[in-house]
């Protein structure tokens, strides 16, 4: 009895005090360094509404950015972890480009991942990242992207056929655009990354489409565990077999890549796709006795190419269609350019043709400005760094975040930022502002390696859509749309519904 009383009145309070001390001991960090910040709350820091799913990730990043007007840097607490938010374009340039050797790595949670995750380019660090990045870069040259664009072209034709078959009424049909473009993008990436012809537009229940479409299906309890570890004890992550991606999907995709690779080598099959470029690079390294790539790394990059490309490209396409539907005069103008350029190329949607479509390019970039798939970029300080023109000294393993969503909506750089205006990306307008206030693909040596391929495939999809069809708002179109509070990437809570109809005349 005495022991129970001792436990309740001494041990338990002592443990609670210890827990509170551990959870708040970093909360004086930014005050001690003289950096403006928002007073943090126990366990949550400054992100309580996000952790409790009361606010979307994009809305949080925008809110935090505008909480510090005119500050070049600001302090944020994510749980108990202090993170430096960099708001100044020149400081962003220094961190992402000039002083990149101090910020080589991205912060990652070191869960007990399978090899297909730990070997992804976004997860690799230091010298290993540098070696794999250098090996992969030649696979995204203009010539290689042009070759893969032939595969995109075939999927574009399938998309047109699907829409012609689907639209069976004069008034068109209502479609959820994220799902529609998700299937198009899945077919493109499956073909370009895996050499798999899944035709998910016609057969959405096909095995590959069914598995790949569920990569983001993670049980809610697992998401909550990840949040708790991230906020309170990230150093314990290595003891937990958790993942931001569905493990069954990863296992399926691993087997597809390995089987496809073995079949090609065994039967001497070659294709103009990403997997073939990886196989060739691996074979070349073996002949030169180099040791940068191995089969696990090849498998990991193929899966990354699918998952990253599938999610972000379909998001860009869906929101571009949304803006074109809400701005019919812009839709008409870009369609006129499409007709004009295609006529010069015998009606063929080629790599060269889409690269001549300047206004289409401006439309896509303005869409990514207003609807960036990724709300922020993160870097990890890899060696001590004094932030220029300040007395702040960042220690190794300090976290730095670049608030993409905030920068893209700052009226200082983009007047009337809620207005969709492709002319912001005319050559003379871009010259008036820093390139570091527009970061849909990041910047510097650690930018998105597949950016040019993503832009090419996205613009080709829009060409196939606009040359035969038009998009308009429908009864289900939400204006403005609500952000999903459960997704890290950009997602509309109720989807992007539009009416798709054949062009008249």
């Amino acid at each position: 009895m005495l022991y129970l009383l001792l436990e309740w009145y001494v041990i338990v309070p002592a443990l609670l005090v210890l827990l509170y001390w551990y959870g708040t001991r970093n909360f004086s960090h930014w005050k001690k360094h003289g950096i403006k910040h928002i007073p943090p709350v126990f366990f949550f820091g400054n992100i309580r509404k996000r952790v409790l799913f009361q606010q979307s990730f994009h809305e949080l990043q925008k809110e935090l950015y505008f909480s510090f007007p005119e500050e070049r840097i600001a302090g944020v607490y994510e749980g108990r972890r202090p993170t430096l938010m960099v708001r100044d374009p020149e400081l962003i340039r220094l961190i992402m480009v000039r002083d990149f050797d101090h910020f080589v790595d991205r912060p990652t949670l070191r869960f007990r991942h399978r090899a297909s995750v730990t070997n992804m380019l976004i997860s690799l660090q230091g010298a290993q990242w540098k070696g794999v990045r250098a090996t992969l870069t030649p696979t995204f040259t203009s010539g290689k992207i042009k070759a893969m664009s032939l595969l995109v072209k075939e999927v574009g034709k399938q998309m047109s056929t699907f829409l012609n078959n689907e639209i069976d009424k004069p008034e068109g049909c209502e479609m959820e655009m994220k799902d529609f473009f998700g299937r198009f993008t899945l077919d493109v990436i499956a073909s370009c990354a895996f050499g798999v012809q899944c035709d998910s537009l016609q057969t959405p229940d096909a095995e590959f489409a069914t598995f790949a479409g569920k990569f983001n299906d993670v049980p809610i309890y697992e998401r909550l565990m990840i949040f708790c570890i991230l906020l309170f004890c990230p150093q314990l992550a290595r003891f937990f077999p958790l993942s931001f991606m569905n493990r069954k999907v990863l296992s399926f995709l691993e087997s597809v890549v390995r089987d496809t690779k073995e079949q090609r080598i065994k039967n001497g099959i070659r294709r103009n796709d990403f997997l073939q470029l990886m196989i060739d690079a691996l074979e070349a390294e073996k002949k030169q006795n180099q040791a940068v790539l191995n089969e696990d790394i090849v498998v990991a990059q193929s899966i990354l190419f699918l998952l990253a490309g599938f999610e972000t490209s379909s998001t860009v396409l869906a929101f571009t269609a949304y803006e074109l539907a809400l701005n019919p005069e812009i839709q008409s103008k870009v369609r006129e350019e499409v007709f004009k350029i295609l006529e010069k190329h015998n009606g063929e949607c080629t790599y060269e043709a889409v690269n001549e479509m300047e206004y289409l390019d401006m439309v896509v970039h303005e869409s990514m400005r207003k609807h960036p798939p990724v709300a922020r970029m993160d870097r990890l300080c890899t060696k001590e760094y004094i932030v220029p023109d300040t007395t702040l000294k960042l220690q190794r393993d300090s976290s730095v975040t670049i608030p993409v969503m905030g920068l893209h909506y700052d009226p200082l750089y983009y007047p009337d930022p809620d207005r969709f205006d492709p002319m912001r990306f005319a050559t003379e307008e871009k010259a008036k502002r820093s390139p570091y206030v527009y970061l849909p693909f990041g910047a510097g040596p650690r930018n998105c390696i597949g950016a040019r391929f993503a832009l090419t495939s996205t613009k080709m999809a829009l060409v196939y859509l606009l040359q035969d069809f038009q998009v308009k708002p429908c009864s289900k179109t939400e204006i403005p749309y609500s952000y999903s509070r459960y997704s890290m990437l950009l997602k509309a809570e109720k989807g992007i519904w539009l009416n798709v109809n054949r062009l008249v005349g």
Side-chain angles (χ1 to χ4, degrees):
M1 186 67 180
L2 182 61
Y3 175 77
L4 289 175
L5 289 173
L6 182 67
E7 181 176 310
W8 279 104
Y9 291 102
V10 178
I11 298 177
V12 172
L15 288 175
L16 291 175
V17 169
L18 183 64
L19 182 65
Y20 183 80
W21 169 82
Y22 174 77
T24 61
R25 65 175 180 157
N26 290 336
F27 283 1
S28 62
H29 181 85
W30 293 125
K31 183 177 181 180
K32 189 165 55 180
H33 288 89
I35 303 298
K36 284 198 175 181
H37 62 282
I38 301 170
V41 177
F42 174 70
F43 184 75
F44 300 107
N46 300 136
I47 60 174
R48 180 182 62 82
K49 286 189 288 186
R50 171 60 190 153
V51 177
L52 298 178
F53 300 113
Q54 297 172 347
Q55 186 180 43
S56 73
F57 189 67
H58 279 66
E59 288 171 311
L60 170 66
Q61 300 310 314
K62 190 175 177 181
E63 180 183 285
L64 289 173
Y65 178 88
F66 286 106
S67 296
F68 305 97
E70 306 198 8
E71 294 296 321
R72 297 172 67 237
I73 56 176
V76 175
Y77 290 95
E78 298 180 305
R80 60 189 296 275
R81 182 183 64 179
T83 297
L84 182 71
M85 177 193 292
V86 182
R87 302 176 77 259
D88 178 66
E90 179 58 18
L91 281 180
I92 293 172
R93 182 186 73 83
L94 297 179
I95 287 170
M96 302 187 90
V97 183
R98 195 197 73 176
D99 300 329
F100 174 74
D101 61 318
H102 290 263
F103 300 94
V104 175
D105 297 337
R106 299 177 189 267
T108 57
L109 279 177
R110 291 296 176 181
F111 290 121
R112 279 164 46 199
H113 290 308
R114 53 201 308 141
S116 58
V117 176
T118 57
N119 284 297
M120 286 182 179
L121 192 61
I122 58 172
S123 302
L124 297 178
Q125 296 186 334
Q128 188 180 22
W129 166 80
K130 186 177 181 180
V132 174
R133 172 82 185 211
T135 302
L136 293 181
T137 297
T139 66
F140 289 99
T141 61
S142 298
K144 303 290 177 60
I145 294 173
K146 180 180 178 180
M148 285 192 284
S149 71
L150 298 175
L151 302 176
V152 181
K153 183 177 175 180
E154 292 305 311
V155 181
K157 291 177 179 178
Q158 292 173 9
M159 182 180 79
S160 293
T161 300
F162 170 81
L163 287 175
N164 274 312
N165 293 335
E166 195 74 8
I167 300 172
D168 56 358
K169 299 177 182 177
E171 64 270 22
C173 67
E174 295 182 352
M175 301 183 68
E176 203 290 296
M177 303 309 289
K178 180 66 167 68
D179 175 70
F180 168 68
F181 282 123
R183 286 188 271 167
F184 166 83
T185 306
L186 179 61
D187 287 355
V188 167
I189 304 293
S191 180
C192 293
F194 292 80
V196 172
Q197 304 298 312
C198 63
D199 195 10
S200 66
L201 285 164
Q202 297 292 346
T203 53
D205 297 327
E207 184 183 37
F208 189 93
T210 300
F211 268 99
K214 294 180 178 179
F215 83 93
N216 200 32
D217 290 354
V218 179
I220 189 67
Y221 73 87
E222 195 163 325
R223 289 180 184 270
L224 289 172
M225 286 182 67
I226 291 172
F227 261 131
C228 290
I229 293 169
L230 172 66
L231 297 178
F232 214 64
C233 49
Q235 64 274 20
L236 298 182
R238 65 183 185 276
F239 298 111
F240 294 88
L242 300 173
S243 177
F244 289 100
M245 291 172 275
N246 186 291
R247 286 188 285 273
K248 288 184 179 179
V249 172
L250 288 172
S251 179
F252 170 77
L253 295 177
E254 286 173 18
S255 65
V256 170
V257 177
R258 294 184 196 278
D259 291 346
T260 305
K261 176 176 172 288
E262 289 175 8
Q263 287 297 318
R264 290 194 187 182
I265 294 173
K266 179 180 178 181
N267 299 318
I269 300 171
R270 294 189 60 83
R271 279 174 54 91
N272 288 321
D273 59 19
F274 180 72
L275 179 58
Q276 188 65 55
L277 296 171
M278 294 286 290
I279 293 172
D280 292 346
L282 181 59
E283 292 301 312
E285 282 198 358
K286 287 179 179 178
K287 292 178 182 178
Q288 298 169 12
N289 292 319
Q290 294 179 340
V292 175
L293 295 181
N294 57 44
E295 184 165 311
D296 284 340
I297 292 176
V298 169
V299 170
Q301 304 332 308
S302 297
I303 294 175
L304 175 62
F305 190 19
L306 170 73
L307 300 185
F310 164 69
E311 182 61 36
T312 56
S313 293
S314 59
T315 296
V316 172
L317 282 165
F319 285 101
T320 303
Y322 176 80
E323 291 293 351
L324 291 176
L326 300 188
N327 298 275
E329 70 289 350
I330 294 176
Q331 183 178 169
S332 295
K333 184 175 179 179
V334 72
R335 183 178 288 111
E336 289 174 12
E337 181 187 62
V338 166
F339 287 153
K340 181 179 178 181
I341 300 298
L342 289 182
E343 187 176 2
K344 289 172 55 181
H345 292 266
N346 300 315
E348 291 292 319
C349 179
T350 62
Y351 175 78
E352 292 82 3
V354 296
N355 280 336
E356 288 182 33
M357 298 177 185
E358 295 180 2
Y359 191 65
L360 175 62
D361 185 72
M362 291 156 59
V363 165
V364 172
H365 281 288
E366 172 67 351
S367 178
M368 290 191 291
R369 193 276 306 172
K370 195 174 175 186
H371 312 282
V374 179
R376 78 183 205 187
M377 301 287 169
D378 295 303
R379 294 292 183 267
L380 192 69
C381 186
T382 51
K383 56 184 177 181
E384 192 176 274
Y385 183 76
I386 298 177
V387 179
D389 301 321
T390 75
T391 59
L392 178 63
K393 182 185 292 186
L394 294 177
Q395 301 298 326
R396 183 178 177 182
D397 292 334
S398 297
S399 294
V400 175
T401 185
I402 314 296
V404 175
M405 187 67 175
L407 291 164
H408 284 197
Y409 275 82
D410 193 330
L412 179 64
Y413 312 122
Y414 302 101
D416 191 8
D418 290 312
R419 182 168 58 92
F420 186 77
D421 180 11
M423 294 310 295
R424 300 183 202 271
F425 290 89
T427 302
E428 60 275 15
E429 289 299 317
K430 288 194 294 183
K432 296 176 183 178
R433 61 179 180 262
S434 167
Y436 299 96
V437 298
Y438 177 70
L439 298 167
F441 296 113
R446 196 135 196 177
N447 68 342
C448 175
I449 193 171
R452 288 196 298 169
F453 174 81
L455 283 171
T456 298
S457 60
T458 295
K459 288 188 281 188
M460 290 183 78
L462 291 169
V463 168
Y464 277 101
L465 176 70
L466 293 171
Q467 67 179 344
D468 294 319
F469 308 94
Q470 59 184 341
V471 287
K472 298 178 180 179
C474 65
S475 59
K476 295 181 181 179
T477 305
E478 190 180 20
I479 308 172
Y481 65 87
S482 303
Y483 292 94
S484 170
R485 293 165 292 165
Y486 301 97
S487 175
M488 287 289 287
L489 299 175
L490 179 63
K491 189 175 182 181
E493 186 175 20
K494 297 180 182 179
I496 299 294
W497 285 90
L498 298 175
N499 176 276
V500 183
N501 203 348
R502 294 188 187 91
L503 285 177
V504 179

